Amino acid sequence: MHKPILIIGACGQIGTELTIELRNKYGADNVIASDIREGNDSLMQSGPFELLDATNYAAIEDVVMHYDIDEIYLMAAMLSATAEKFPMRAWNLNMNSLFNVLNLAKDSKINKVFWPSSIAVFGPNTPKEGTPQSTIMEPSTVYGISKQSGERWCEYYFKKYGVDVRSVRYPGLISWKTMPGGGTTDYAVEIYHEALKNGHYESFLSKGTKLPMMYMDDAIRATINLMDSPAEQIKVRSSYNLGSMSFAPEDMAASIQKHIPDFKISYAPDFRQQIADSWPSSIDDSQAREQWGWEPRFDLDQTTEEMLKNLGN
C-alpha cells in the first residue's frame, strides 16, 4: 500500500491531471489534493481536498501531520506571463512554497518531494538547439529566475541535508482537460479551442517561434515515473531536461488543417514574444532517458488528433 501523497496546487493545469492519475494509481484516499481555491468537479469529486495556502508553513504542516503524508508534489506557482505582471507576488509564491516543503523534508516530516522546474530557467544566451542539461542559464523573466533559484536550492537541500527532491524542466504543456494558467506557451492550447469554435486563431507568438512542447499525458507519466524510480538512479538533483517535440505556431496550424482544412492562423505578437525568444527551441534530455528511462509517446499530429477529438465532443 502506497503511503499518502499531498498535491499542493492541485487545481492548476498540471495539478488537476496529476491528481487524477495518482488517485487512479494509488487509490483516491491516498492522494490528498489541496489548493488556495476549489478545483473543477472531476477533481473535487474524486477524493479528499483541503483548502491550503502554499506559502503558509504551519497550514501545510498541519495537513502533513493529519494525513501522515509521505510525499509532496508542489505544483503551486505563478507562471511566466502572469509573473511578469506581479513580480514580487510571483517570487513570494514560487520561492516560499518551495522552502516550506524542503524544510518539512529536512526535518523528516515527509520523505520525498517533487517540484517542477521549466524551460524558463534558460535565457537568451543559452544554446537554442539541443539545449544541454548543464549550460548557461541567465533567465530573463521573473518566473525563470525563481525556477533557476529553486533548482539551486533543491540541489543544496539534497547535498546538505539528504532531502530526496526530484524535478523536471517542463516544456510547454498541451491539454484538453484544463485551460492554461498564464504561461507563454498557452497559444498551443488556445489554438485548438479557437479552431473548433471560430476556424481562426490569432497567435500572440510570431511565425517561426519554435519552442519545446509536450502533450500532458507524457508530462504526467514522466512525473510519476521519476518519483517511482529508485533514488540511486536519480543523478540530477537540480532538475532534469525533459523533451518531446518542438514546433512553431504555423506547424500547429498545418497539423490542424489536416482535420479542419479551412482553418486559418494570423499573428499579433505581444509581450510574450520577448519571453519566448529567450527560451530554447529544442531540448537535449538524454540524461533523463538514460538514467530513469524517459521516453515520450506523443508527436504533434497525435497531439492534434487527441485535442480535436476530445474538445470536439
Side-chain angles (χ1 to χ4, degrees), residues 169-233:
R169 293 168 180 153
Y170 286 127
L173 298 178
I174 303 169
S175 167
W176 57 270
K177 291 179 183 171
T178 48
M179 288 301 287
T184 300
T185 54
D186 285 359
Y187 91 85
V189 177
E190 292 172 0
I191 192 170
Y192 292 110
H193 288 269
E194 292 300 309
L196 288 164
K197 194 167 145 196
N198 300 316
H200 170 259
Y201 179 64
E202 184 174 87
S203 173
F204 56 74
L205 296 184
S206 65
K207 190 174 182 177
T209 307
K210 187 179 158 198
L211 290 170
M213 298 280 188
M214 182 175 288
Y215 187 55
M216 184 66 83
D217 287 20
D218 273 343
I220 300 299
R221 192 167 48 82
T223 303
I224 296 172
N225 285 358
L226 175 68
M227 287 294 274
D228 283 350
S229 296
E232 60 271 16
Q233 285 180 225

Short mmCIF file of all heavy atoms in Angstrom, two decimals, residues 169-233:
data_model
loop_
_atom_site.label_atom_id
_atom_site.label_comp_id
_atom_site.label_asym_id
_atom_site.label_seq_id
_atom_site.Cartn_x
_atom_site.Cartn_y
_atom_site.Cartn_z
N ARG A 169 12.33 19.81 -15.87
CA ARG A 169 12.07 21.11 -16.51
C ARG A 169 10.99 20.89 -17.57
O ARG A 169 11.26 20.41 -18.67
CB ARG A 169 13.35 21.63 -17.17
CG ARG A 169 14.43 21.98 -16.17
CD ARG A 169 15.77 22.23 -16.85
NE ARG A 169 16.81 22.58 -15.87
CZ ARG A 169 18.11 22.35 -16.04
NH1 ARG A 169 18.55 21.78 -17.17
NH2 ARG A 169 18.96 22.68 -15.10
N TYR A 170 9.76 21.24 -17.22
CA TYR A 170 8.67 21.05 -18.18
C TYR A 170 8.83 21.98 -19.38
O TYR A 170 9.14 23.17 -19.22
CB TYR A 170 7.32 21.37 -17.55
CG TYR A 170 6.79 20.35 -16.57
CD1 TYR A 170 6.40 20.73 -15.29
CD2 TYR A 170 6.66 19.00 -16.91
CE1 TYR A 170 5.89 19.82 -14.38
CE2 TYR A 170 6.15 18.08 -16.01
CZ TYR A 170 5.77 18.49 -14.75
OH TYR A 170 5.26 17.58 -13.86
N PRO A 171 8.58 21.47 -20.58
CA PRO A 171 8.39 22.35 -21.74
C PRO A 171 6.96 22.91 -21.71
O PRO A 171 6.26 22.76 -20.70
CB PRO A 171 8.61 21.40 -22.92
CG PRO A 171 8.23 20.05 -22.40
CD PRO A 171 8.47 20.06 -20.91
N GLY A 172 6.51 23.54 -22.79
CA GLY A 172 5.12 23.95 -22.88
C GLY A 172 4.22 22.72 -22.87
O GLY A 172 4.54 21.72 -23.52
N LEU A 173 3.10 22.77 -22.15
CA LEU A 173 2.24 21.60 -22.00
C LEU A 173 0.88 21.81 -22.65
O LEU A 173 0.28 22.88 -22.53
CB LEU A 173 2.07 21.27 -20.51
CG LEU A 173 3.38 20.90 -19.79
CD1 LEU A 173 3.12 20.64 -18.32
CD2 LEU A 173 4.05 19.69 -20.43
N ILE A 174 0.42 20.77 -23.32
CA ILE A 174 -0.82 20.84 -24.10
C ILE A 174 -1.82 19.85 -23.54
O ILE A 174 -1.54 18.66 -23.44
CB ILE A 174 -0.52 20.49 -25.58
CG1 ILE A 174 0.55 21.44 -26.14
CG2 ILE A 174 -1.80 20.56 -26.42
CD1 ILE A 174 1.08 21.00 -27.50
N SER A 175 -3.00 20.36 -23.16
CA SER A 175 -4.03 19.52 -22.55
C SER A 175 -5.42 20.00 -22.95
O SER A 175 -5.65 21.19 -23.07
CB SER A 175 -3.89 19.55 -21.03
OG SER A 175 -5.02 19.00 -20.42
N TRP A 176 -6.36 19.05 -23.08
CA TRP A 176 -7.74 19.43 -23.37
C TRP A 176 -8.59 19.47 -22.09
O TRP A 176 -9.71 19.95 -22.09
CB TRP A 176 -8.38 18.46 -24.37
CG TRP A 176 -8.35 17.02 -23.94
CD1 TRP A 176 -7.37 16.10 -24.21
CD2 TRP A 176 -9.36 16.32 -23.20
NE1 TRP A 176 -7.68 14.89 -23.66
CE2 TRP A 176 -8.91 14.98 -23.04
CE3 TRP A 176 -10.59 16.68 -22.65
CZ2 TRP A 176 -9.64 14.01 -22.34
CZ3 TRP A 176 -11.32 15.71 -21.96
CH2 TRP A 176 -10.86 14.41 -21.82
N LYS A 177 -8.04 18.98 -20.99
CA LYS A 177 -8.86 18.82 -19.78
C LYS A 177 -8.99 20.09 -18.96
O LYS A 177 -10.00 20.32 -18.31
CB LYS A 177 -8.28 17.70 -18.90
CG LYS A 177 -8.44 16.32 -19.54
CD LYS A 177 -7.84 15.24 -18.67
CE LYS A 177 -7.93 13.89 -19.36
NZ LYS A 177 -7.18 12.85 -18.65
N THR A 178 -7.94 20.92 -18.95
CA THR A 178 -7.98 22.17 -18.18
C THR A 178 -7.44 23.30 -19.05
O THR A 178 -6.59 23.08 -19.90
CB THR A 178 -7.13 22.07 -16.90
OG1 THR A 178 -5.85 21.51 -17.24
CG2 THR A 178 -7.79 21.20 -15.85
N MET A 179 -7.96 24.48 -18.79
CA MET A 179 -7.47 25.65 -19.53
C MET A 179 -6.09 26.04 -19.01
O MET A 179 -5.78 25.83 -17.84
CB MET A 179 -8.45 26.82 -19.39
CG MET A 179 -9.74 26.62 -20.16
SD MET A 179 -9.48 26.39 -21.95
CE MET A 179 -9.05 28.07 -22.45
N PRO A 180 -5.26 26.65 -19.85
CA PRO A 180 -3.92 27.07 -19.42
C PRO A 180 -3.99 28.16 -18.36
O PRO A 180 -5.00 28.83 -18.20
CB PRO A 180 -3.26 27.56 -20.71
CG PRO A 180 -4.39 27.88 -21.63
CD PRO A 180 -5.51 26.95 -21.28
N GLY A 181 -2.86 28.35 -17.66
CA GLY A 181 -2.89 29.21 -16.48
C GLY A 181 -1.97 30.42 -16.52
O GLY A 181 -1.42 30.80 -15.49
N GLY A 182 -1.76 31.03 -17.68
CA GLY A 182 -0.97 32.26 -17.72
C GLY A 182 0.47 32.06 -18.12
O GLY A 182 1.35 32.78 -17.68
N GLY A 183 0.72 31.07 -18.99
CA GLY A 183 2.06 30.81 -19.47
C GLY A 183 2.28 31.32 -20.88
O GLY A 183 1.34 31.67 -21.59
N THR A 184 3.54 31.36 -21.28
CA THR A 184 3.90 31.87 -22.61
C THR A 184 3.57 30.87 -23.71
O THR A 184 3.42 31.24 -24.87
CB THR A 184 5.41 32.19 -22.60
OG1 THR A 184 5.63 33.18 -21.59
CG2 THR A 184 5.90 32.74 -23.93
N THR A 185 3.42 29.60 -23.37
CA THR A 185 3.09 28.58 -24.37
C THR A 185 1.58 28.29 -24.43
O THR A 185 1.16 27.33 -25.07
CB THR A 185 3.86 27.27 -24.07
OG1 THR A 185 3.59 26.88 -22.72
CG2 THR A 185 5.35 27.46 -24.26
N ASP A 186 0.78 29.14 -23.80
CA ASP A 186 -0.68 28.92 -23.77
C ASP A 186 -1.30 28.87 -25.17
O ASP A 186 -2.35 28.28 -25.36
CB ASP A 186 -1.38 30.03 -22.98
CG ASP A 186 -1.18 29.89 -21.48
OD1 ASP A 186 -0.52 28.92 -21.06
OD2 ASP A 186 -1.68 30.75 -20.73
N TYR A 187 -0.64 29.51 -26.14
CA TYR A 187 -1.21 29.52 -27.50
C TYR A 187 -1.45 28.10 -28.01
O TYR A 187 -2.39 27.85 -28.77
CB TYR A 187 -0.29 30.29 -28.47
CG TYR A 187 0.74 29.44 -29.16
CD1 TYR A 187 0.43 28.76 -30.34
CD2 TYR A 187 2.02 29.27 -28.62
CE1 TYR A 187 1.37 27.94 -30.96
CE2 TYR A 187 2.96 28.46 -29.24
CZ TYR A 187 2.64 27.79 -30.41
OH TYR A 187 3.55 26.98 -31.02
N ALA A 188 -0.61 27.17 -27.57
CA ALA A 188 -0.67 25.80 -28.08
C ALA A 188 -1.87 25.03 -27.55
O ALA A 188 -2.16 23.93 -28.02
CB ALA A 188 0.62 25.06 -27.74
N VAL A 189 -2.58 25.60 -26.58
CA VAL A 189 -3.86 25.05 -26.14
C VAL A 189 -5.00 25.88 -26.74
O VAL A 189 -5.97 25.34 -27.30
CB VAL A 189 -3.96 25.04 -24.60
CG1 VAL A 189 -5.34 24.53 -24.16
CG2 VAL A 189 -2.85 24.16 -24.01
N GLU A 190 -4.86 27.19 -26.67
CA GLU A 190 -5.92 28.09 -27.17
C GLU A 190 -6.23 27.83 -28.65
O GLU A 190 -7.37 27.93 -29.08
CB GLU A 190 -5.48 29.54 -27.00
CG GLU A 190 -5.38 30.00 -25.55
CD GLU A 190 -4.75 31.38 -25.41
OE1 GLU A 190 -4.39 31.98 -26.45
OE2 GLU A 190 -4.62 31.85 -24.27
N ILE A 191 -5.20 27.50 -29.42
CA ILE A 191 -5.36 27.34 -30.86
C ILE A 191 -6.40 26.26 -31.21
O ILE A 191 -7.17 26.41 -32.15
CB ILE A 191 -3.99 27.05 -31.53
CG1 ILE A 191 -4.09 27.19 -33.05
CG2 ILE A 191 -3.44 25.69 -31.13
CD1 ILE A 191 -2.71 27.16 -33.75
N TYR A 192 -6.45 25.20 -30.42
CA TYR A 192 -7.41 24.11 -30.69
C TYR A 192 -8.83 24.55 -30.36
O TYR A 192 -9.77 24.24 -31.11
CB TYR A 192 -7.03 22.87 -29.89
CG TYR A 192 -5.74 22.22 -30.34
CD1 TYR A 192 -4.59 22.27 -29.55
CD2 TYR A 192 -5.66 21.56 -31.57
CE1 TYR A 192 -3.40 21.68 -29.97
CE2 TYR A 192 -4.48 20.97 -32.00
CZ TYR A 192 -3.36 21.04 -31.19
OH TYR A 192 -2.19 20.46 -31.61
N HIS A 193 -8.99 25.26 -29.25
CA HIS A 193 -10.31 25.77 -28.89
C HIS A 193 -10.84 26.70 -29.98
O HIS A 193 -12.00 26.60 -30.40
CB HIS A 193 -10.24 26.53 -27.55
CG HIS A 193 -10.05 25.65 -26.36
ND1 HIS A 193 -11.10 25.14 -25.65
CD2 HIS A 193 -8.92 25.19 -25.76
CE1 HIS A 193 -10.65 24.39 -24.64
NE2 HIS A 193 -9.32 24.41 -24.69
N GLU A 194 -9.97 27.60 -30.45
CA GLU A 194 -10.39 28.57 -31.46
C GLU A 194 -10.62 27.91 -32.83
O GLU A 194 -11.50 28.33 -33.58
CB GLU A 194 -9.35 29.69 -31.58
CG GLU A 194 -9.28 30.59 -30.35
CD GLU A 194 -10.60 31.28 -30.06
OE1 GLU A 194 -11.18 31.89 -30.99
OE2 GLU A 194 -11.06 31.20 -28.91
N ALA A 195 -9.84 26.90 -33.13
CA ALA A 195 -10.02 26.18 -34.41
C ALA A 195 -11.40 25.57 -34.49
O ALA A 195 -12.09 25.64 -35.53
CB ALA A 195 -8.95 25.10 -34.55
N LEU A 196 -11.84 24.98 -33.39
CA LEU A 196 -13.15 24.33 -33.38
C LEU A 196 -14.29 25.35 -33.29
O LEU A 196 -15.35 25.16 -33.89
CB LEU A 196 -13.24 23.37 -32.18
CG LEU A 196 -12.40 22.09 -32.33
CD1 LEU A 196 -12.22 21.40 -30.99
CD2 LEU A 196 -13.03 21.13 -33.34
N LYS A 197 -14.04 26.43 -32.58
CA LYS A 197 -15.09 27.41 -32.34
C LYS A 197 -15.24 28.39 -33.50
O LYS A 197 -16.34 28.68 -33.97
CB LYS A 197 -14.74 28.19 -31.06
CG LYS A 197 -15.86 29.01 -30.46
CD LYS A 197 -15.45 29.45 -29.06
CE LYS A 197 -15.99 30.82 -28.74
NZ LYS A 197 -15.31 31.41 -27.57
N ASN A 198 -14.12 28.93 -33.99
CA ASN A 198 -14.17 30.02 -34.96
C ASN A 198 -13.47 29.73 -36.29
O ASN A 198 -13.57 30.51 -37.23
CB ASN A 198 -13.54 31.29 -34.36
CG ASN A 198 -14.26 31.75 -33.11
OD1 ASN A 198 -15.48 31.77 -33.09
ND2 ASN A 198 -13.51 32.10 -32.06
N GLY A 199 -12.70 28.65 -36.35
CA GLY A 199 -11.96 28.34 -37.58
C GLY A 199 -10.79 29.27 -37.83
O GLY A 199 -10.21 29.30 -38.92
N HIS A 200 -10.45 30.08 -36.81
CA HIS A 200 -9.35 31.04 -36.96
C HIS A 200 -8.70 31.26 -35.61
O HIS A 200 -9.37 31.26 -34.57
CB HIS A 200 -9.89 32.38 -37.49
CG HIS A 200 -8.85 33.48 -37.43
ND1 HIS A 200 -8.83 34.44 -36.43
CD2 HIS A 200 -7.77 33.74 -38.22
CE1 HIS A 200 -7.80 35.25 -36.62
NE2 HIS A 200 -7.14 34.86 -37.69
N TYR A 201 -7.38 31.47 -35.60
CA TYR A 201 -6.68 31.80 -34.35
C TYR A 201 -5.66 32.88 -34.61
O TYR A 201 -4.92 32.83 -35.59
CB TYR A 201 -5.98 30.57 -33.77
CG TYR A 201 -5.23 30.88 -32.50
CD1 TYR A 201 -5.92 31.30 -31.35
CD2 TYR A 201 -3.84 30.78 -32.42
CE1 TYR A 201 -5.24 31.61 -30.17
CE2 TYR A 201 -3.16 31.08 -31.25
CZ TYR A 201 -3.87 31.49 -30.12
OH TYR A 201 -3.20 31.79 -28.96
N GLU A 202 -5.66 33.89 -33.73
CA GLU A 202 -4.66 34.95 -33.78
C GLU A 202 -3.61 34.64 -32.72
O GLU A 202 -3.88 34.71 -31.52
CB GLU A 202 -5.29 36.32 -33.53
CG GLU A 202 -4.29 37.47 -33.69
CD GLU A 202 -4.96 38.83 -33.57
OE1 GLU A 202 -5.09 39.32 -32.43
OE2 GLU A 202 -5.36 39.38 -34.62
N SER A 203 -2.42 34.30 -33.18
CA SER A 203 -1.36 33.86 -32.27
C SER A 203 -0.63 35.05 -31.65
O SER A 203 -0.27 35.99 -32.35
CB SER A 203 -0.35 32.99 -33.02
OG SER A 203 0.77 32.70 -32.21
N PHE A 204 -0.41 34.97 -30.33
CA PHE A 204 0.36 36.03 -29.65
C PHE A 204 1.86 35.80 -29.76
O PHE A 204 2.65 36.60 -29.27
CB PHE A 204 -0.07 36.20 -28.19
CG PHE A 204 0.03 34.95 -27.35
CD1 PHE A 204 1.26 34.45 -26.93
CD2 PHE A 204 -1.12 34.28 -26.95
CE1 PHE A 204 1.36 33.33 -26.14
CE2 PHE A 204 -1.03 33.13 -26.16
CZ PHE A 204 0.21 32.66 -25.76
N LEU A 205 2.27 34.69 -30.41
CA LEU A 205 3.68 34.48 -30.77
C LEU A 205 3.80 34.54 -32.29
O LEU A 205 2.88 34.15 -33.01
CB LEU A 205 4.18 33.12 -30.27
CG LEU A 205 4.21 32.92 -28.75
CD1 LEU A 205 4.82 31.56 -28.41
CD2 LEU A 205 4.97 34.03 -28.03
N SER A 206 4.92 35.01 -32.77
CA SER A 206 5.07 35.20 -34.21
C SER A 206 5.38 33.89 -34.93
O SER A 206 5.80 32.90 -34.32
CB SER A 206 6.19 36.21 -34.49
OG SER A 206 7.43 35.67 -34.06
N LYS A 207 5.16 33.90 -36.23
CA LYS A 207 5.52 32.79 -37.08
C LYS A 207 7.01 32.47 -36.90
O LYS A 207 7.83 33.38 -36.76
CB LYS A 207 5.23 33.17 -38.55
CG LYS A 207 5.34 32.02 -39.52
CD LYS A 207 4.89 32.48 -40.90
CE LYS A 207 4.95 31.31 -41.88
NZ LYS A 207 4.47 31.70 -43.21
N GLY A 208 7.34 31.19 -36.87
CA GLY A 208 8.74 30.79 -36.73
C GLY A 208 9.24 30.68 -35.30
O GLY A 208 10.40 30.35 -35.07
N THR A 209 8.36 30.95 -34.31
CA THR A 209 8.77 30.84 -32.90
C THR A 209 8.67 29.38 -32.46
O THR A 209 7.63 28.91 -32.02
CB THR A 209 7.88 31.73 -31.99
OG1 THR A 209 7.88 33.07 -32.49
CG2 THR A 209 8.39 31.72 -30.56
N LYS A 210 9.77 28.68 -32.61
CA LYS A 210 9.80 27.24 -32.31
C LYS A 210 10.15 27.04 -30.84
O LYS A 210 11.16 27.57 -30.35
CB LYS A 210 10.86 26.58 -33.21
CG LYS A 210 10.92 25.07 -33.13
CD LYS A 210 11.99 24.57 -34.09
CE LYS A 210 12.46 23.19 -33.70
NZ LYS A 210 13.76 22.85 -34.32
N LEU A 211 9.32 26.27 -30.14
CA LEU A 211 9.52 26.03 -28.72
C LEU A 211 9.34 24.55 -28.39
O LEU A 211 8.59 23.84 -29.08
CB LEU A 211 8.52 26.83 -27.89
CG LEU A 211 8.70 28.35 -27.85
CD1 LEU A 211 7.49 29.01 -27.21
CD2 LEU A 211 9.97 28.73 -27.11
N PRO A 212 9.99 24.06 -27.33
CA PRO A 212 9.76 22.68 -26.89
C PRO A 212 8.36 22.55 -26.29
O PRO A 212 7.95 23.39 -25.49
CB PRO A 212 10.83 22.46 -25.81
CG PRO A 212 11.80 23.59 -25.96
CD PRO A 212 11.02 24.73 -26.53
N MET A 213 7.66 21.50 -26.67
CA MET A 213 6.29 21.26 -26.21
C MET A 213 6.12 19.80 -25.83
O MET A 213 6.92 18.94 -26.21
CB MET A 213 5.29 21.63 -27.30
CG MET A 213 5.30 23.09 -27.71
SD MET A 213 4.38 24.09 -26.52
CE MET A 213 4.38 25.66 -27.39
N MET A 214 5.00 19.52 -25.13
CA MET A 214 4.73 18.15 -24.72
C MET A 214 3.23 17.99 -24.49
O MET A 214 2.57 18.88 -23.94
CB MET A 214 5.50 17.84 -23.43
CG MET A 214 5.33 16.43 -22.91
SD MET A 214 6.39 16.14 -21.48
CE MET A 214 7.99 16.07 -22.26
N TYR A 215 2.70 16.83 -24.89
CA TYR A 215 1.31 16.51 -24.58
C TYR A 215 1.22 16.15 -23.10
O TYR A 215 2.11 15.50 -22.55
CB TYR A 215 0.83 15.36 -25.46
CG TYR A 215 -0.65 15.08 -25.34
CD1 TYR A 215 -1.60 16.08 -25.54
CD2 TYR A 215 -1.11 13.80 -25.01
CE1 TYR A 215 -2.96 15.83 -25.42
CE2 TYR A 215 -2.47 13.53 -24.90
CZ TYR A 215 -3.39 14.55 -25.10
OH TYR A 215 -4.74 14.30 -24.98
N MET A 216 0.15 16.59 -22.44
CA MET A 216 0.06 16.46 -20.99
C MET A 216 0.20 15.01 -20.51
O MET A 216 0.81 14.76 -19.46
CB MET A 216 -1.27 17.06 -20.50
CG MET A 216 -1.42 17.04 -19.00
SD MET A 216 -0.23 18.12 -18.13
CE MET A 216 -1.07 19.70 -18.29
N ASP A 217 -0.35 14.05 -21.24
CA ASP A 217 -0.25 12.64 -20.80
C ASP A 217 1.22 12.24 -20.62
O ASP A 217 1.56 11.51 -19.68
CB ASP A 217 -0.91 11.72 -21.82
CG ASP A 217 -2.43 11.81 -21.79
OD1 ASP A 217 -2.94 12.83 -21.28
OD2 ASP A 217 -3.10 10.89 -22.28
N ASP A 218 2.08 12.71 -21.53
CA ASP A 218 3.51 12.41 -21.42
C ASP A 218 4.11 13.09 -20.18
O ASP A 218 4.93 12.49 -19.47
CB ASP A 218 4.26 12.88 -22.67
CG ASP A 218 4.26 11.82 -23.78
OD1 ASP A 218 3.97 10.65 -23.49
OD2 ASP A 218 4.56 12.19 -24.94
N ALA A 219 3.72 14.32 -19.92
CA ALA A 219 4.26 15.07 -18.77
C ALA A 219 3.88 14.40 -17.45
O ALA A 219 4.71 14.28 -16.54
CB ALA A 219 3.77 16.51 -18.79
N ILE A 220 2.64 13.95 -17.36
CA ILE A 220 2.17 13.28 -16.13
C ILE A 220 2.92 11.96 -15.95
O ILE A 220 3.37 11.62 -14.85
CB ILE A 220 0.65 13.04 -16.19
CG1 ILE A 220 -0.12 14.36 -16.33
CG2 ILE A 220 0.18 12.24 -14.98
CD1 ILE A 220 0.04 15.33 -15.22
N ARG A 221 3.06 11.22 -17.03
CA ARG A 221 3.76 9.94 -16.97
C ARG A 221 5.22 10.12 -16.56
O ARG A 221 5.76 9.38 -15.73
CB ARG A 221 3.66 9.23 -18.33
CG ARG A 221 4.10 7.78 -18.34
CD ARG A 221 3.64 7.11 -19.64
NE ARG A 221 3.99 7.93 -20.79
CZ ARG A 221 5.20 7.93 -21.36
NH1 ARG A 221 6.17 7.17 -20.88
NH2 ARG A 221 5.45 8.68 -22.41
N ALA A 222 5.88 11.15 -17.12
CA ALA A 222 7.27 11.43 -16.77
C ALA A 222 7.39 11.76 -15.28
O ALA A 222 8.31 11.28 -14.60
CB ALA A 222 7.80 12.60 -17.61
N THR A 223 6.47 12.57 -14.78
CA THR A 223 6.50 12.99 -13.37
C THR A 223 6.40 11.79 -12.44
O THR A 223 7.18 11.64 -11.50
CB THR A 223 5.34 13.97 -13.11
OG1 THR A 223 5.46 15.08 -14.01
CG2 THR A 223 5.33 14.47 -11.68
N ILE A 224 5.42 10.93 -12.72
CA ILE A 224 5.20 9.77 -11.84
C ILE A 224 6.35 8.76 -11.99
O ILE A 224 6.82 8.19 -11.00
CB ILE A 224 3.83 9.12 -12.14
CG1 ILE A 224 2.71 10.13 -11.79
CG2 ILE A 224 3.65 7.82 -11.35
CD1 ILE A 224 1.32 9.70 -12.20
N ASN A 225 6.84 8.58 -13.21
CA ASN A 225 7.98 7.68 -13.42
C ASN A 225 9.22 8.14 -12.64
O ASN A 225 9.93 7.34 -12.04
CB ASN A 225 8.34 7.58 -14.90
CG ASN A 225 7.35 6.74 -15.70
OD1 ASN A 225 6.42 6.19 -15.13
ND2 ASN A 225 7.55 6.66 -17.00
N LEU A 226 9.46 9.44 -12.68
CA LEU A 226 10.61 9.99 -11.94
C LEU A 226 10.46 9.71 -10.45
O LEU A 226 11.42 9.29 -9.79
CB LEU A 226 10.72 11.50 -12.19
CG LEU A 226 11.80 12.23 -11.38
CD1 LEU A 226 13.20 11.81 -11.82
CD2 LEU A 226 11.63 13.75 -11.51
N MET A 227 9.27 9.95 -9.91
CA MET A 227 9.06 9.76 -8.48
C MET A 227 9.10 8.28 -8.08
O MET A 227 9.47 7.94 -6.95
CB MET A 227 7.74 10.39 -8.06
CG MET A 227 7.78 11.90 -8.02
SD MET A 227 8.88 12.56 -6.74
CE MET A 227 7.79 12.58 -5.33
N ASP A 228 8.74 7.40 -9.01
CA ASP A 228 8.74 5.96 -8.72
C ASP A 228 10.12 5.32 -8.88
O ASP A 228 10.33 4.17 -8.46
CB ASP A 228 7.75 5.23 -9.64
CG ASP A 228 6.30 5.42 -9.22
OD1 ASP A 228 6.09 5.95 -8.11
OD2 ASP A 228 5.40 5.07 -9.99
N SER A 229 11.06 6.04 -9.50
CA SER A 229 12.38 5.46 -9.77
C SER A 229 13.18 5.33 -8.48
O SER A 229 13.06 6.17 -7.58
CB SER A 229 13.15 6.34 -10.76
OG SER A 229 12.49 6.38 -12.01
N PRO A 230 14.02 4.27 -8.38
CA PRO A 230 14.89 4.14 -7.21
C PRO A 230 15.80 5.36 -7.06
O PRO A 230 16.29 5.90 -8.06
CB PRO A 230 15.72 2.88 -7.52
CG PRO A 230 14.94 2.14 -8.56
CD PRO A 230 14.21 3.17 -9.35
N ALA A 231 16.03 5.78 -5.82
CA ALA A 231 16.80 7.01 -5.55
C ALA A 231 18.18 6.99 -6.20
O ALA A 231 18.66 8.02 -6.66
CB ALA A 231 16.91 7.22 -4.04
N GLU A 232 18.80 5.80 -6.27
CA GLU A 232 20.15 5.74 -6.82
C GLU A 232 20.20 6.01 -8.32
O GLU A 232 21.26 6.33 -8.87
CB GLU A 232 20.81 4.38 -6.51
CG GLU A 232 20.10 3.17 -7.07
CD GLU A 232 19.05 2.59 -6.13
OE1 GLU A 232 18.63 3.29 -5.17
OE2 GLU A 232 18.63 1.45 -6.38
N GLN A 233 19.06 5.92 -9.01
CA GLN A 233 19.02 6.24 -10.44
C GLN A 233 18.95 7.74 -10.70
O GLN A 233 19.22 8.19 -11.81
CB GLN A 233 17.81 5.56 -11.10
CG GLN A 233 17.98 4.06 -11.30
CD GLN A 233 16.75 3.45 -11.95
OE1 GLN A 233 16.28 2.41 -11.52
NE2 GLN A 233 16.23 4.09 -12.98
#
